[in-house]
Amino acid sequence: MVRAAIIGASGYGGAELARLVLRHPKLSLAGLYVQPSSSAAGQAFSALYPRHAGEIDELIQVLDFAAPVLDADVAFLALPHEASLELAPKLLALGLIVVDLSGAYRLAAEDYPSHYGFEHTQADALARAVYGLPEFYAPALAEARLIAAPGCYVTAATLALRPLVAAGLLAEGAVPIVHAVSGVSGAGKTPSAKTHVCEVSLEPYNVFGHRHQPEMRRYIGAPVLFTPVLGHYQRGILASCYAPAKAGVTAEQVHAVFAEAYADAPLVRYSDKRLPSVGAVEYTAYCDVHARLDAATGQLAVFSALDNLLKGASAQAVQALNVRLGFAQELGLTGGLQ
Ligand SMILES: NC(=O)c1ccc[n+]([C@@H]2O[C@H](COP(=O)([O-])OP(=O)(O)OC[C@H]3O[C@@H](n4cnc5c(N)ncnc54)[C@H](OP(=O)(O)O)[C@@H]3O)[C@@H](O)[C@H]2O)c1
C-alpha cells in the first residue's frame, strides 16, 4: 500500500480526499493534518464529517508547517495557495510525492502577482511541477514529484475546448467564450457574505478577472473570455463554451475529434447525443462533454459538467497520482463515490 497523508483535512477538498483514500485499493491513510491554529486539531475526522462515523475516526493531527515531519509516501495538500506554496518544497525535500490542489504551482511565476496577489518564491519547485490533467499530461505525470492539480473551472473548460483548439477547428483568432456555473462548495468550507446560502442566487462574479482565466489560456492553448457564475446549489459545474468554427468544418469532424481525444480517457464521457448535467456527475469522478455545431451560424457549442470537489479537485488529484504510481487512471474512482 502507498501511504498518503492529507494536509488540510478539515476542509472540503481534504475531506473528499480522506474518503477517496479510504476506498482506494492501493492507498492507505497515513494521517490527517491541519495547521496548529486550526479548530479541527485533535478532533476526530468523523466529528467534523459525521457521515464517516465508524469509517474514518482518526484524529486530525497538527503539522508543523515550518518544519514538517511526515511518515508517508505521498502528501496531498488541500490548502490555501500561499500555504501550499511554502509547504510543498519542504515535503519534496523529505522525499515525498506531493499532490497540490491549490493554484500555487499551475502557472508561470510572472502570473502570480497579478492573479494571486503574491510573488512566487519557489522557482525550483515550480519548474518541477507537472500539471495534473491526466487526459493530456499522462507521460509527464508518470515521472512527476510535484503534481499541480488543475482548477475546477479550468478542468471543465479545458476538457471542452482543448481538443478543438489542438485540431485547428476554430476560426482564426477565435476567442472562445466560457460561461460556467458552479455550486457554492467551490469556495471552500468557510462561508462569506458572498457565498452564504441565503445570499447566493445566480450571479456572475470576477468577470474576465478570475484567476482561472490565465490557467485556461495556458492549458487550452488559446485566450478565452471566462464568466464564472455562482449558483444556489452545493456542488457541480456546468460549463457552456462557444466559439466560431473554421469555415468548412462539419459536425462529423467535431465528433470525430472528441471521440479520438477521449478514446483512452476513462473519466471523460463524451457523447454526441447526451447533454451534460450537474445531476449526472455529482458525486462521481467523471466529466461529461457534448459538442455540437450550429450549421446556420457556424458556431460551436461545447458543454461540460463535473463535480467541482471530485473531477474538479480531489478525484482528479487521485487520478493524477494513479498515473504517477503506474495504476489505472480510474482506480478507486468509479462506481458511486457518495
Ligand atoms: N472547493 C473546490 O471546489 C476546489 C476545487 C479545486 C481546487 N480547490 C483548491 O483546493 C484548496 C483547498 O480548497 P477547499 O475547498 O478544500 O478549501 P477549504 O474547505 O476552505 O479548506 C481549506 C483547508 O486549509 C486549511 N487552512 C486554512 N488556512 C490555512 C493556513 N493559513 N495555513 C494552513 N492551513 C490552512 C483549513 O484548515 P482550518 O481552517 O481548519 O485551519 C482547511 O483544512 C484551495 O487551494 C482551493 O483553491 C478547491
Side-chain angles (χ1 to χ4, degrees), residues 157-178:
T158 304
L159 292 173
L161 289 169
R162 183 162 160 153
L164 295 171
V165 172
L169 296 196
L170 301 190
E172 200 178 326
V175 178
I177 290 168
V178 177

Side-chain angles (χ1 to χ4, degrees), residues 26-206:
K26 299 210 182 229
L27 299 179
S28 65
L29 206 50
L32 300 167
Y33 294 91
V34 289
Q35 61 176 333
S37 63
S38 171
S39 60
Q43 292 199 54
F45 179 82
S46 54
L48 289 185
Y49 294 98
R51 66 158 53 193
H52 296 299
E55 291 176 350
I56 313 178
D57 295 318
E58 278 86 343
L59 295 185
I60 297 179
Q61 305 170 61
V62 164
L63 184 72
D64 178 356
F65 278 51
V69 178
L70 276 183
D71 186 18
D73 305 305
V74 176
F76 287 106
L77 310 188
L79 298 169
H81 318 292
E82 295 87 338
S84 278
L85 177 72
E86 299 299 327
L87 184 58
K90 294 181 176 139
L91 299 178
L92 289 173
L94 294 179
L96 276 75
I97 296 170
V98 176
V99 187
D100 178 29
L101 271 63
S102 87
Y105 289 96
R106 299 176 191 153
L107 298 175
E110 57 268 26
D111 292 325
Y112 283 91
S114 52
H115 291 94
Y116 281 80
F118 59 78
E119 292 286 341
H120 205 290
T121 52
Q122 307 296 336
D124 289 350
L126 184 59
R128 296 169 69 176
V130 176
Y131 197 58
L133 190 60
E135 287 75 13
F136 296 108
Y137 296 96
L141 284 170
E143 309 284 326
R145 287 282 316 286
L146 172 57
I147 295 171
C152 47
Y153 285 121
V154 188
T155 300
T158 304
L159 292 173
L161 289 169
R162 183 162 160 153
L164 295 171
V165 172
L169 296 196
L170 301 190
E172 200 178 326
V175 178
I177 290 168
V178 177
H179 176 273
V181 184
S182 173
V184 286
S185 62
K189 192 176 181 182
T190 307
S192 73
K194 279 277 179 202
T195 60
H196 190 291
V197 72
C198 293
E199 303 298 327
V200 175
S201 57
L202 188 63
E203 185 182 352
Y205 65 102
N206 289 357

Side-chain angles (χ1 to χ4, degrees), residues 251-292:
E252 290 69 30
Q253 265 179 294
V254 172
H255 298 317
V257 158
F258 278 101
E260 190 185 337
Y262 297 131
D264 297 319
L267 296 178
V268 178
R269 301 188 294 199
Y270 178 75
S271 167
D272 58 1
K273 298 181 185 62
R274 188 168 56 83
L275 283 162
S277 70
V278 165
V281 292
E282 65 182 352
Y283 294 103
T284 81
Y286 294 109
C287 179
D288 284 355
V289 180
H290 168 91
R292 65 177 63 178

